[in-house]
Amino acid sequence: MADFAQARDLIRLAVGIGGGTLDILVNNAGILRDRMVFSMTEDEWDAVVRVHLKGHFNTTRFAAAHWRERSKAEGRAVYGRIVNTSSEAFLAGSAGQPNYAAAKGGIVGLTTSTAGALRKYGVTVNAICPRARTRMTEDVFTDVPEEGAPDALDPGHVAPLVGYLASPAAAGVNGQVFVVHGGMVAVMQRPLVAARFDARGVAELEAALTPYFAGRPLGETFAAPEVLGLKAAQAPLPAEESAGDGA
């Protein structure tokens, strides 16, 4: 959905099939062009940002316009749900994926901005950071379990959260980011202010910031690599069973 006009036509088609209404939009298209930042080409950067970030914007833009127009015409809030797909690569600051991490971070920004803009029309917008074995990640997650054994990376473990966020039950869930995989869902906390300094000029900043960062753990950044260690408290059931339990 990286083409603006194609995204417009897709939303129009969906509205037409839905008898003039659109209820749910799930943005999930993606590609990988992994490389360290010092080796990445312009085309590798542009392709990933275009498919992920621009693709999310394109469909969101036309769906949002539809819901706004319907809400104004009907004089009330309408039903609308957007579920965007971000990634733990953004949260953890994946060193070999600067294009992917940047695009996925942008999707979180798009999610929170759009959530605020569409709230009054009855539309919720949330983002998930799924960990799943798909065609896009098959070269990353190579530890495939034996046939018949539960697979924590089965995409079926992600589907129940998407279904929930698209449902009426999630009317009060808006502008949130979730990590989901293997029967586990983690609600990510919004960024908090770690410290505040009153300082003017380089000398005052040096006096305040240098000792502050000297007292923090070596190598700690804004990234949160600990999210990569999240896992379910119990081994996951086969995805079909876990999905059925949540229905």
Side-chain angles (χ1 to χ4, degrees), residues 86-168:
S86 184
S87 172
E88 292 170 292
F90 146 66
L91 294 168
S94 180
Q97 298 180 301
N99 48 1
Y100 186 70
K104 291 305 191 180
I107 287 169
V108 170
L110 174 65
T111 297
T112 55
S113 174
T114 309
L118 300 186
R119 182 187 299 113
K120 65 180 179 181
Y121 303 117
V123 180
T124 66
V125 190
N126 295 285
I128 63 171
C129 299
R131 193 185 304 175
R133 197 186 316 280
T134 66
R135 284 180 297 172
M136 190 184 78
T137 62
E138 60 186 1
D139 292 333
V140 178
F141 301 129
T142 58
D143 53 338
V144 181
E146 295 181 2
E147 186 174 354
D151 185 359
L153 297 179
D154 189 323
H157 293 303
V158 177
L161 177 60
V162 176
Y164 166 73
L165 292 174
S167 75

Side-chain angles (χ1 to χ4, degrees), residues 10-30:
L10 177 67
I11 296 300
R12 286 178 177 175
L13 177 63
V15 171
I17 293 174
T21 64
L22 173 71
D23 295 328
I24 301 161
L25 170 64
V26 178
N27 288 310
N28 192 43

Side-chain angles (χ1 to χ4, degrees), residues 3-94:
D3 184 279
F4 194 69
Q6 287 183 358
R8 177 200 62 206
D9 294 344
L10 177 67
I11 296 300
R12 286 178 177 175
L13 177 63
V15 171
I17 293 174
T21 64
L22 173 71
D23 295 328
I24 301 161
L25 170 64
V26 178
N27 288 310
N28 192 43
I31 61 171
L32 291 176
R33 297 291 185 271
D34 293 351
R35 203 176 298 277
M36 299 296 286
V37 68
F38 42 75
S39 300
M40 183 162 290
T41 67
E42 182 180 13
D43 286 345
E44 288 167 340
W45 173 272
D46 289 347
V48 170
V49 172
R50 182 171 181 268
V51 170
H52 288 273
L53 183 53
K54 188 184 178 189
H56 272 62
F57 161 73
N58 286 346
T59 50
T60 295
R61 183 256 184 258
F62 293 107
H66 164 74
W67 286 316
R68 179 174 179 267
E69 290 166 7
R70 273 186 52 210
S71 178
K72 288 191 170 185
E74 298 175 16
R76 61 180 178 85
V78 298
Y79 188 96
R81 300 286 187 269
I82 299 178
V83 181
N84 290 329
T85 306
S86 184
S87 172
E88 292 170 292
F90 146 66
L91 294 168
S94 180

Side-chain angles (χ1 to χ4, degrees), residues 156-157 159-160 237-247:
H157 293 303
L237 294 169
E240 313 83 60
E241 295 181 37
S242 61
D245 289 345

